[in-house]
Amino acid sequence: NAGVMQNPRHLVRRRGQEARLRCSPMKGHSHVYWYRQLPEEGLKFMVYLQKENIIDESGMPKERFSAEFPKEGPSILRIQQVVRGDSAAYFCASSRTRDGPRNTIYFGEGSWLTVV
Amino acid sequence: AQSVTQLGSHVSVSEGALVLLRCNYSSSVPPYLFWYVQYPNQGLQLLLKYTTGATLVKGINGFEAEFKKSETSFHLTKPSAHMSDAAEYFCAVTTSNTGNQFYFGTGTSLTVIP
């Protein structure tokens, strides 16, 4: 899983600021997923993207959160006007194809966002 | 819809003792089941997975899990705990219908007592 690169690993933001989290998938992977882990909870699916397309954003909060995966460059998870409740670990994962269950997805080491 | 329940948010075992972490799932279609391990401030590492075929699945670090459809369970076991096994363990389910969206349990924190 070291192949999925996330940065920054730790980010501190004041309430009202913007947070940008970046994810570079493993080489050869064109499918990216973002998950959020709140304290004392399991991971919750947020969004699934392919290059230049959002495939499934059913887990994304309706406001302030957005994600993109441009043709060139990493996937970005953007949180505008952060609030304390956004403090969490955000994990990115990638896979080679869409058939995830048979084609293991690989997780990055996470980005820990702290809102003060 | 799919869901996972992990019974016991904290499990303690003595070094050398059997490790048993429980996972029950809910799915209306055949599930694909996974166990991941997370060490402090790190990402998730796949321990093992069940998709089809043999119901007893062997993973890394001596762990194994058995898919029991009748019990809707996928418990994780290891015959002899090692200090290095101390970590957070997550069970997850997905299906061919949900594609790549995984549903995770809330995790079980394993403590190994020397």
Side-chain angles (χ1 to χ4, degrees), chain A residues 50-66:
Chain A
Q50 276 185 273
K51 286 284 187 180
E52 300 184 278
N53 287 304
I54 297 174
I55 307 301
D56 180 355
E57 56 181 349
S58 58
M60 286 279 271
K62 299 301 181 190
E63 298 178 346
R64 302 187 297 107
F65 285 71
S66 63

Side-chain angles (χ1 to χ4, degrees), chain A residues 9 33 35 98 100-101 104, chain B residues 32 41 44 49 100-102:
Chain A
R9 291 293 312 280
Y33 320 84
Y35 284 78
R98 187 187 181 99
T104 304
Chain B
Y32 301 128
N41 296 320
L44 277 70
K49 66 177 179 180
N100 293 311
Q101 182 174 154
F102 283 57

Side-chain angles (χ1 to χ4, degrees), chain B residues 7-72:
Chain B
L7 292 175
S9 57
H10 298 275
V11 171
S12 294
V13 299
S14 297
E15 190 174 16
L18 171 72
V19 176
L20 171 61
L21 305 182
R22 299 180 185 274
C23 172
N24 288 89
Y25 70 90
S26 173
S27 177
S28 57
V29 298
Y32 301 128
L33 296 157
F34 302 77
W35 276 100
Y36 285 86
V37 60
Q38 183 183 30
Y39 297 100
N41 296 320
Q42 294 188 24
L44 277 70
Q45 180 182 7
L46 180 67
L47 276 177
L48 48 79
K49 66 177 179 180
Y50 167 80
T51 53
T52 59
T55 56
L56 181 63
V57 181
K58 294 186 185 299
I60 62 172
N61 301 338
F63 284 94
E64 62 181 37
E66 186 171 10
F67 169 58
K68 292 187 177 180
K69 183 178 178 180
S70 61
E71 299 177 8
T72 61

